[in-house]
Amino acid sequence: LVIGEATLVNESGDKKGALQLLERAVSKDPKNVTLRYELGMTAERLGNTALFERSMRTVIQQNPKYAQAYNALGFTLVERNERLKEARTLIEKALSLSPNDPFILDSMGWLYFREKRLDMALDYLNRAATLRADPEIIAHQVEVLQAMGRHEDAAKVWQAGVRRFPDNGQLKRIGKTLPGAG
């Protein structure tokens, strides 16, 4: 119930209120990894990277099989383009726990992109996309295809993504980087 309430508070525009709600809930139930994970994710959306990282590390410590915590921490490091070696360890652990999770496959693809290993990046992103249609996965595919110089393929993937998710801001932004698309 607390997570549902925090989601509603967050969606109403009160991100800090959602964070405070989750902080109170975690202080009452510190061993609840689901609450702590949500606290961390809310902190990350607010830019509180210290609380995010602390929360994810606590989740991992309390439940070493919580694949999404490894993935969230690893992906965030990749997104910030820092500590990529640590990010790889975290994402590989997440993949070992949940090998067909499209979001974890996306994270590995994005890590390979950051490492400029574009063929591997595209392979993981394509695997993720076959498992789930998601605007972030599509945006990552477009960026990798562009980096590979495959601009026509990038435009086709982007166009299909925009047809499926016409209001997605991330896809709209990446469309502006495509010749003739944005």
Side-chain angles (χ1 to χ4, degrees):
L1 289 174
V2 171
I3 292 170
E5 184 179 353
T7 300
L8 290 173
V9 170
N10 184 45
E11 288 174 355
S12 75
D14 185 7
K15 292 181 190 319
K16 287 183 182 178
L19 184 70
Q20 291 169 346
L21 189 71
L22 289 163
E23 285 177 321
R24 283 193 302 272
V26 167
S27 71
K28 291 177 186 174
D29 189 2
K31 295 206 182 286
N32 187 318
V33 293
T34 305
L35 284 174
R36 191 169 299 275
Y37 177 83
E38 288 300 321
L39 171 66
M41 295 307 292
T42 302
E44 196 270 336
R45 286 189 287 277
L46 278 166
N48 187 338
T49 56
L51 178 56
F52 163 73
E53 191 165 331
R54 212 170 36 252
S55 295
M56 291 305 133
R57 291 193 189 284
T58 301
V59 169
I60 290 167
Q61 180 183 13
Q62 290 178 338
N63 182 352
K65 294 187 179 198
Y66 205 111
Q68 290 306 322
Y70 292 98
N71 185 56
L73 184 52
F75 179 80
T76 298
L77 293 174
V78 171
E79 190 65 14
R80 289 189 266 158
N81 206 15
E82 47 185 61
R83 300 181 357 229
L84 296 182
K85 185 176 179 182
E86 179 183 359
R88 172 171 294 286
T89 301
L90 291 161
I91 296 168
E92 285 175 348
K93 178 64 176 180
L95 268 175
S96 75
L97 294 168
S98 189
N100 294 313
D101 183 303
F103 298 112
I104 299 172
L105 291 166
D106 173 69
S107 296
M108 185 58 83
W110 202 232
L111 172 63
Y112 277 120
F113 173 73
R114 292 285 194 214
E115 294 174 339
K116 308 226 182 306
R117 297 170 68 189
L118 302 180
D119 288 333
M120 291 294 293
L122 189 59
D123 178 58
Y124 274 91
L125 295 170
N126 287 344
R127 287 170 52 196
T130 61
L131 294 168
R132 182 178 178 109
D134 179 82
E136 185 169 26
I137 294 170
I138 294 166
H140 288 163
Q141 286 178 298
V142 170
E143 284 196 56
V144 170
L145 287 165
Q146 283 185 280
M148 296 172 93
R150 293 173 53 185
H151 302 292
E152 276 186 42
D153 292 334
K156 287 177 188 173
V157 170
W158 176 79
Q159 288 165 353
V162 167
R163 278 194 300 276
R164 183 140 191 192
F165 304 101
D167 299 323
N168 183 271
Q170 186 176 15
L171 289 176
K172 286 179 182 179
R173 281 189 299 283
I174 200 153
K176 293 177 183 175
T177 68
L178 292 169

